[in-house]
Amino acid sequence: MKKILIIGAGFLQSFVIRKAKEMGYYTITIDKNPNSIGFPYADEYGVVDIIDQEACLKFARKKSIDGVMTAATDYGVLSAAYISEELHLPGLKYEVAQIIKNKYLIRRILFKNNVDDISQYFEISNINDIEKISNKIHFPVIVKPCDGSGSRAVKKVNNIKDLNNACKEAIKASLISKALIENFVEGKEYGVESLVYDGEVYILGVMGKYMTSPPDYAELGHFIPSKLTIEEKLKKVAQNAIKVLGINFGAVNMDVIVSKDNRICIVDIGARMGGNLIGSHIIPLGTGIDYMGNLIRASAGDSVDIRPKKSGMKVATRLLALAPGKVVGLPNFERICAKYDVDIYHHLKVGSTIREYHNNLDGCGYIVAVSDDIKDAERRAKNSKELVDYSIKREKI
Ligand SMILES: Nc1ncnc2c1ncn2[C@@H]1O[C@H](COP(=O)(O)OP(=O)(O)O)[C@@H](O)[C@H]1O
Ligand SMILES: [Mg+2]
């Protein structure tokens, strides 16, 4: 029985842990949180900080693993790459993982290779540096931490006056204390999911994204097919980005904004499956491709087959981005699922606090609706989410 190590054991990783076990792999997982949701699903677990690469490697060595992978967490990507390189297992080159962890380095490579339509970018590690570039900047711009995730500290800035504060916040939110400034692109946002294996780049699917309104830029859900008329062009751009960045192995998740005049701007790349049920539900249901299964097999050094096993369906998801409060009564989820023919995955409990929704981490779970008509899937996902929100009994906080 081959042993696979999954880095991270949170809610979203628990789908991967379960899948790997179902597929017959001996499944080991690590996470800093001793109460991780994913631990009970694994054959074995360890309480290890997934940011601490040496500690992760030491653990992996001791367990004589055959493969390592991560899902839905950027922190895990570096550690997984470090382990796979050190132990000569299939994986992303560590050097590439380091680039992918830094949005500025990604941006520089994409720009130099003319991959997309972002035309200006600056890196800031000290707000005194703003002065030097202030006359070069064309507003509006977006400011974000170079190594951020979950849309934290991402801000649109319209003038030089507001730039200082936005940079300060982004630097503060960055583990490497660096912020990226780039063009603000007005348009519709899409997610592109890809798999790299044996030198080939497979673009698995393009999803439309529901987003919050500014000043927050947080995901509210996805739908596939994307309804984007220039989907083929977008796929070529994504493919090119993967090539020039040197991504040699595994899953790639991209956020792309397409402007009204069809400019394509890549705003974010992760060398991992997308979170928010993209890897576990949206791609497999929407394309018929066993995305997670193939990624697990590839990581364990087994052969992959990315041909669709079933025909794709129309899928819409909604994050449980709910009104804030302390939960005193839960809705009857079964009844809501039956009424709208949807699946609900949530981590709500009586007594838990729902925070105002500003980023992914404030979400309380997900709704998945499947149909042969995308409008129908979208409607059921939206209406059932609204009913969940409405039916929760809560106290003010
Ligand atoms: N250049 C940009 N123009 C317009 N919106 C952007 C830009 N960059 C990021 N955003 C918005 O902010 C969100 C979060 O930014 P992103 O770079 O994806 O960070 P994170 O790693 O936190 O997901 C994006 O999904 C998008 O909605
Ligand atoms: Mg993103």
Side-chain angles (χ1 to χ4, degrees):
M1 203 188 213
K2 280 194 173 175
K3 282 185 180 175
I4 187 153
L5 173 65
I6 291 153
I7 311 265
F11 181 71
L12 288 169
Q13 286 98 38
S14 65
F15 293 102
V16 185
I17 298 168
R18 271 144 79 169
K19 174 91 181 184
K21 202 166 150 51
E22 261 169 46
M23 289 167 67
Y25 291 101
Y26 187 84
T27 309
I28 310 173
T29 184
I30 49 175
D31 201 299
K32 182 169 82 173
N33 176 2
N35 303 313
S36 291
I37 295 180
F39 281 171
Y41 300 116
D43 292 298
E44 220 182 304
Y45 68 83
V47 179
V48 181
D49 183 354
I50 67 167
I51 301 178
D52 185 344
Q53 293 165 29
E54 287 304 334
C56 291
L57 176 63
K58 206 170 141 204
F59 182 90
R61 237 190 248 286
K62 219 167 48 201
K63 299 290 170 193
S64 326
I65 56 167
D66 300 289
V68 56
M69 64 175 285
T70 191
T73 156
D74 283 320
Y75 295 118
V77 174
L78 267 180
S79 299
Y82 187 59
I83 292 171
S84 61
E85 198 155 291
E86 289 290 318
L87 301 185
H88 308 291
L89 300 171
L92 183 67
K93 285 189 208 126
Y94 185 62
E95 172 197 356
V96 179
Q98 280 173 311
I99 293 171
I100 299 299
K101 190 73 197 85
N102 185 325
K103 291 179 205 272
Y104 171 76
L105 296 179
I106 293 178
R107 175 65 9 243
R108 198 170 66 184
I109 292 172
L110 297 184
F111 181 82
K112 290 199 168 144
N113 288 281
N114 267 320
V115 172
D116 68 347
D117 294 318
I118 292 253
S119 60
Q120 54 166 348
Y121 63 102
F122 307 93
E123 185 187 42
I124 294 281
S125 40
N126 185 326
I127 50 163
N128 297 327
D129 296 344
I130 292 176
E131 224 170 281
K132 286 182 224 155
I133 54 162
S134 62
N135 56 351
K136 295 189 205 151
I137 299 177
H138 300 282
F139 291 97
V141 292
I142 268 273
V143 177
K144 54 177 126 174
C146 279
D147 52 349
S149 67
S151 305
R152 267 167 294 171
V154 177
K155 201 163 167 65
K156 179 185 178 190
V157 175
N158 293 311
N159 52 55
I160 193 81
K161 197 174 102 260
D162 297 335
L163 194 58
N164 258 26
N165 255 346
C167 287
K168 241 192 237 167
E169 288 301 314
I171 290 170
K172 205 167 79 187
S174 160
L175 281 180
I176 54 168
S177 299
K178 285 187 169 140
L180 168 67
I181 304 172
E182 67 184 12
N183 312 59
F184 174 83
V185 188
E186 184 90 55
K188 280 201 181 133
E189 188 158 338
Y190 299 87
V192 185
E193 208 62 27
S194 317
L195 184 69
V196 186
Y197 179 74
D198 216 7
E200 286 289 326
V201 177
Y202 302 95
I203 308 289
L204 306 180
V206 178
M207 297 156 284
K209 292 175 69 167
Y210 309 113
M211 302 295 296
T212 57
S213 12
D216 293 326
Y217 296 93
E219 286 176 6
L220 291 174
H222 291 88
F223 54 92
I224 187 168
S226 71
K227 306 181 229 171
L228 175 67
T229 49
I230 57 159
E231 200 174 281
E232 285 314 308
K233 189 173 163 208
L234 175 56
K235 286 182 178 174
K236 288 216 174 78
V237 172
Q239 185 134 29
N240 200 10
I242 290 171
K243 288 237 162 87
V244 302
L245 289 165
I247 299 176
N248 62 303
F249 180 90
V252 186
N253 163 258
M254 263 180 231
D255 296 324
V256 184
I257 300 181
V258 179
S259 69
K260 268 207 188 100
D261 54 349
N262 283 342
R263 279 180 303 134
I264 293 176
C265 300
I266 298 175
V267 299
D268 195 15
I269 299 186
R272 53 165 179 80
M273 283 192 283
N276 294 338
L277 303 192
I278 292 170
S280 55
H281 294 73
I282 303 168
I283 293 295
L285 290 168
T287 65
I289 298 168
D290 182 9
Y291 182 21
M292 232 161 59
N294 275 303
L295 193 58
I296 292 168
R297 272 194 292 277
S299 303
D302 292 329
S303 65
V304 312
D305 177 5
I306 66 122
R307 281 172 303 185
K309 286 283 170 291
K310 297 182 210 139
S311 63
M313 290 176 288
K314 318 286 195 274
V315 186
T317 64
R318 284 278 168 176
L319 268 100
L320 292 176
L322 306 170
K326 189 172 173 208
V327 179
V328 288
L330 288 177
N332 185 330
F333 284 108
E334 267 171 33
R335 203 181 300 159
I336 297 176
C337 288
K339 177 169 178 190
Y340 289 102
D341 190 17
V342 295
D343 286 321
I344 301 183
Y345 305 90
H346 71 91
H347 38 83
L348 284 161
K349 287 190 195 103
V350 170
S352 61
T353 300
I354 305 172
R355 292 188 302 263
E356 203 170 64
Y357 190 77
H358 293 293
N359 66 52
N360 265 340
L361 298 176
D362 301 323
C364 302
Y366 303 89
I367 292 185
V368 183
V370 171
S371 176
D372 47 21
D373 171 21
I374 186 64
K375 285 226 170 71
D376 173 56
E378 290 191 89
R379 185 183 49 79
R380 285 192 282 115
K382 180 166 181 283
N383 291 353
S384 54
K385 186 249 159 187
E386 279 165 8
L387 186 56
V388 168
D389 206 1
Y390 174 81
S391 315
I392 293 173
K393 293 198 180 58
R394 38 167 93 69
E395 274 168 5
K396 278 216 172 98
I397 41 170

